[in-house]
Amino acid sequence: MGLAAAPVAAYGFVRDQAARERAGGAPLLPPSLVRLPAFRRGLAVVAVFFVGLGGFLLTTGISLQEGLGMSPLGAGFALAPYALGFLAASLTVPRLIGRYAARVIVAGAVVLAVSLAAAAVQAGVGYDGLTARTLLPAFVVIGFGQGLVMIPVFGVVLAGVTTDRAGVASGVLTTTQQAMIAVGVAALGTMFFRVASTGSSTGSSTGTAAGGDWRAATVAVLAAEAALALLTGIIATRLLRSDE
């Protein structure tokens, strides 16, 4: 019932925000701001990217523990290279962003898409043999790719917004970020558990832990995340027009 009412509520919200702006008020989401090409494209980049990020953070931890039988501490240790890759990106981006601007985001999205696709292949070929050591290269590159997108994206988008609108634009981007992380957790998490349960019910249980086809679920979600990363890069190429 709630989902059915969502389009109606969204339409009412848009109408209300437009009326407030025409009346000289302070709407939460000024329609004139969304009409700016650079901001609209940047908002799309943020939305797509953070859906994939939210799904990755949830399903990877579950796959490591439930599928591969790692302890919480072991899963954290396995994910440490992911954090190091993100750290490396944070040290690299400041030297790149001034020269290449949105190209950094495009490059990061491509790196992320390729590394997620490679991880999907790795899981599909030898899921039961995955360890912290064998996962290290993929996690480092995934973290690096995510960092190249996530660290500069807000600054690149806000650079095309006038100073008097920077506050509300930043708020819209932050709200979109948080909402899309939740969407990613819900959508990709649902996909993950549905694939796992479907594989288990057909007698195709794979992985250390019983009760689910964790290999199929992991491969499916990683492939979906790779597609989202590629879509992020495609949308980000349109940000280049704003820089030229």
Side-chain angles (χ1 to χ4, degrees), residues 66-179:
E66 296 296 329
L68 297 175
M70 295 184 184
S71 66
L73 181 61
F77 179 76
L79 279 168
Y82 164 76
L84 293 177
F86 197 96
L87 175 62
S90 71
L91 298 175
T92 304
V93 165
R95 297 198 298 269
L96 298 176
I97 196 65
R99 183 173 181 180
Y100 299 108
R103 290 177 177 84
V104 177
I105 300 173
V106 175
V110 171
V111 169
L112 180 58
V114 172
S115 58
L116 286 167
V121 172
Q122 186 180 19
V125 171
Y127 182 76
D128 290 336
L130 294 179
T131 64
R133 178 178 298 179
T134 59
L135 288 168
L136 187 150
F139 280 163
V140 168
V141 182
I142 289 171
F144 187 74
Q146 285 186 355
L148 289 181
V149 177
M150 183 175 174
I151 294 168
V153 66
F154 277 30
V156 169
V157 176
L158 292 175
V161 178
T162 58
T163 304
D164 60 311
R165 293 189 171 191
V168 66
S170 178
V172 171
L173 288 172
T174 302
T175 301
T176 301
Q177 172 192 12
Q178 298 301 318

Side-chain angles (χ1 to χ4, degrees), residues 32-57:
S32 60
L33 181 63
V34 181
R35 285 195 292 269
L36 295 175
F39 185 78
R40 187 170 61 250
R41 295 164 187 165
L43 197 63
V45 169
V46 169
V48 175
F49 172 75
F50 281 102
V51 169
L53 177 67
F56 176 82
L57 294 176

